[in-house]
Amino acid sequence: MVQSARSGKQNIVEGCAASATSSETEIKLINVAKASFKELLEDYKDYLRRSGFWQWEDGSVEKEAMRKLGAKNSDTSFYRKLIATRPAETIANMAIVLLYQEDYLLHRQLQSLERAFKKNGGFREKMARVRREEQGKQRRQ
């Protein structure tokens, strides 16, 4: 579970760092991050099942409250304080809700990246366009 979480985070960082030179690599790494977090999500669900714990259902008071918290808070210290006083079942459910939210946000980011790639092309295409424009300017001079 730790490896899935770390892999997801690192792929987001690497993807964003690669964005300056390769839109394709950025999209690929964000997809890999999304897959790592899906793996982590399934691990949490398995943990609840194996432990005989209840998974919060859609529309439940607990899940809705956690969704609202997740939408308002992105500070890790907030969640560290929160989980310090909660049982394992609640912590796993909280993680599941946050992972669903993260999946949605990564999905939206991928859609945006793909739209930008279709419209503007990748780094090589941008550089070729700039080179052609510069050559055109030089010819006109």
Side-chain angles (χ1 to χ4, degrees):
M1 290 173 83
V2 170
Q3 183 56 37
S4 295
R6 187 177 188 292
S7 175
K9 179 196 66 106
Q10 287 303 112
N11 279 294
I12 291 171
V13 170
E14 288 178 41
C16 292
S19 70
T21 55
S22 176
S23 300
E24 295 165 77
T25 300
E26 179 182 20
I27 291 169
K28 178 185 169 205
L29 289 170
I30 297 299
N31 267 312
V32 171
K34 200 171 180 313
S36 291
F37 289 129
K38 286 276 195 185
E39 180 182 344
L40 182 58
L41 173 64
E42 289 306 311
D43 286 340
Y44 274 109
K45 289 178 179 181
D46 289 344
Y47 168 76
L48 288 174
R49 235 182 337 272
R50 280 192 321 269
S51 302
F53 292 143
W54 172 66
Q55 184 178 333
W56 295 341
E57 297 173 4
D58 288 342
S60 68
V61 173
E62 299 88 352
K63 189 170 186 176
E64 291 306 311
M66 189 62 219
R67 286 182 72 222
K68 288 177 185 172
L69 280 176
K72 291 179 185 176
N73 298 288
S74 61
D75 182 16
T76 339
S77 63
F78 171 81
Y79 293 103
R80 286 179 194 246
K81 291 175 190 171
L82 200 60
I83 65 171
T85 59
R86 304 300 191 276
E89 178 179 10
T90 301
I91 295 167
N93 274 294
M94 290 168 66
I96 287 170
V97 171
L98 293 173
L99 285 163
Y100 275 124
Q101 288 177 316
E102 182 168 34
D103 184 64
Y104 171 75
L105 293 172
L106 287 176
H107 174 72
R108 297 240 347 242
Q109 182 178 5
L110 282 167
Q111 286 180 322
S112 175
L113 292 170
E114 289 166 3
R115 277 193 305 274
F117 183 76
K118 286 177 186 175
K119 181 179 178 184
N120 304 318
F123 180 74
R124 284 178 291 223
E125 292 165 306
K126 289 177 189 174
M127 293 305 291
R129 192 168 37 247
V130 168
R131 186 174 57 248
R132 283 191 305 273
E133 289 170 3
E134 185 61 30
Q135 289 170 343
K137 286 178 189 176
Q138 290 174 2
R139 277 189 223 122
R140 288 188 291 268
Q141 291 178 353

